[in-house]
Amino acid sequence: MSSMRAVTIRDCAIGGPDLVVMAGPCAIESREQILRAAEVVSSSGARFLRGGAFKVRTSPTAFQGLGWDGWKLLREAADAFSLLTVSEILDEEQIDGARRYVDFAQIGSRNMQNIPLLKALGRSHMPVMLKRGFGCTIDEWVHAAEYILGEGNPDVVMCERGIRTFETATRFTLDVAAVPIAKKRLGLPVIVDPSHAAGHREWVECLTLTGVACGADGLLIETHPDPAKALSDGPQAVVLSEFPALMEKARRLAHAMGRTIPAGARLEAAAC
Ligand code: PEP
Ligand code: MN
């Protein structure tokens, strides 16, 4: 799409020929967990390490995240493996402190219509990933992006993560057509989160490949070294040891689509 504008975060362009992979656990839980995740995802070609430090949980008794200590661990692990970081920012007061730890500010599905937060991130000039509200139309999602853009921040990437339908076999329903439609409406990159749409790891591969096939500019995937022990979203986490094979499949399909998922750090080293 000729009018499409790439969003560049440090040295990484989202919306260019490379399909940008962002992966890691739902929540940062420990130093060991996030370091192991960083090692495997970087060697599989991911550019971003994901991990929530401030979690929006349905229940107040569920694990709420490690907070600022979590963000310090995320930065340490990402830096150790030359990754960038993406993490959810929950409120305006976190923005200034977050800059040291978070390269790409995620707005969660439950906050898509939190107008003060949209405007604050618009003023911040941090690159923003705007997840689609699971009960919101494409039109409402586009308008939410316009709140950020309207404050003078052009660096917005949209993320389709599934919407609520009558179907219960999956956690949400991935709205595939939303990807080209949002791209056309905004001229901005759109990425796909197969994990929250699937809800179960068994369906993550299908939705990952579907994301590649529908023209997503990136993928946001949850993976955990030991999903059975995960403190949040364990059922949908790809087992970390199986992540490289998933990336290889995505890479092959991306190639057929005229996109590239660069080889990971270790693979590149092996090729030299
Ligand atoms: C997440 O990425 O872990 C998350 C909470 O996603 P969403 O806001 O899409 O539910
Ligand atoms: Mn999650």
Side-chain angles (χ1 to χ4, degrees):
M1 203 175 300
S2 57
S3 58
M4 190 132 114
R5 202 186 143 264
V7 169
T8 300
I9 304 172
R10 297 215 207 166
D11 64 337
C12 178
I14 305 174
D18 282 358
L19 206 150
V20 178
V21 175
M22 312 174 196
C26 178
I28 304 143
E29 297 168 1
S30 69
R31 190 162 184 271
E32 194 202 357
Q33 174 235 25
I34 197 72
L35 278 165
R36 283 177 65 195
E39 180 179 14
V40 174
V41 305
S42 81
S43 69
S44 308
R47 297 298 313 276
F48 281 80
L49 180 63
R50 66 147 288 146
F54 296 92
K55 297 304 299 177
V56 190
R57 304 304 300 279
T58 303
S59 162
T61 55
F63 177 61
Q64 304 289 308
L66 295 180
W68 295 95
D69 290 340
W71 271 348
K72 286 177 195 155
L73 294 173
L74 180 70
R75 177 88 271 162
E76 180 192 342
D79 287 351
F81 293 96
S82 304
L83 292 162
L84 299 167
T85 62
V86 56
S87 194
E88 180 167 355
I89 292 190
L90 282 192
D91 83 52
E92 186 174 349
E93 294 185 353
Q94 294 167 347
I95 297 174
D96 276 338
R99 289 175 199 279
R100 286 176 59 187
Y101 309 112
V102 178
D103 300 311
F104 192 20
Q106 175 173 331
I107 297 181
S109 186
R110 290 155 191 80
N111 265 324
M112 189 205 86
Q113 288 184 314
N114 179 338
I115 309 296
L117 181 64
L118 298 175
K119 286 185 168 179
L121 279 162
R123 289 190 300 271
S124 78
H125 292 276
M126 283 183 86
V128 178
M129 181 212 290
L130 180 62
K131 284 203 158 193
R132 180 174 178 186
F134 55 72
C136 294
T137 64
I138 296 173
D139 202 52
E140 289 162 339
W141 186 32
V142 166
H143 285 314
E146 288 167 350
Y147 273 103
I148 305 168
L149 299 166
E151 296 294 323
N153 185 350
D155 294 329
V156 179
V157 174
M158 308 296 275
C159 178
E160 164 60 39
R161 46 79 74 211
I163 53 175
R164 186 155 279 166
T165 67
F166 52 78
E167 185 52 67
T168 55
T170 49
R171 189 175 177 193
F172 295 96
T173 298
L174 189 72
D175 184 2
V176 175
V179 174
I181 294 170
K183 274 201 206 194
K184 184 171 181 188
R185 289 275 309 267
L186 288 162
L188 289 170
V190 181
I191 71 167
V192 160
D193 169 352
S195 302
H196 290 84
H200 305 276
R201 81 179 54 83
E202 192 172 354
W203 316 124
V204 169
E205 178 181 307
C206 166
L207 297 185
T208 297
L209 298 176
T210 298
V212 176
C214 73
D217 298 298
L219 297 164
L220 180 71
I221 302 174
E222 289 188 345
T223 179
H224 191 288
D226 187 359
K229 295 203 180 116
L231 298 178
S232 82
D233 285 350
Q236 70 197 30
V238 173
V239 181
L240 191 58
S241 59
E242 295 171 7
F243 186 78
L246 175 64
M247 280 305 96
E248 198 41 51
K249 283 193 182 168
R251 182 173 287 116
R252 271 188 257 139
L253 182 59
H255 184 71
M257 297 289 298
R259 308 292 291 265
T260 40
I261 297 177
R266 195 181 294 155
L267 298 175
E268 268 169 7
C272 293

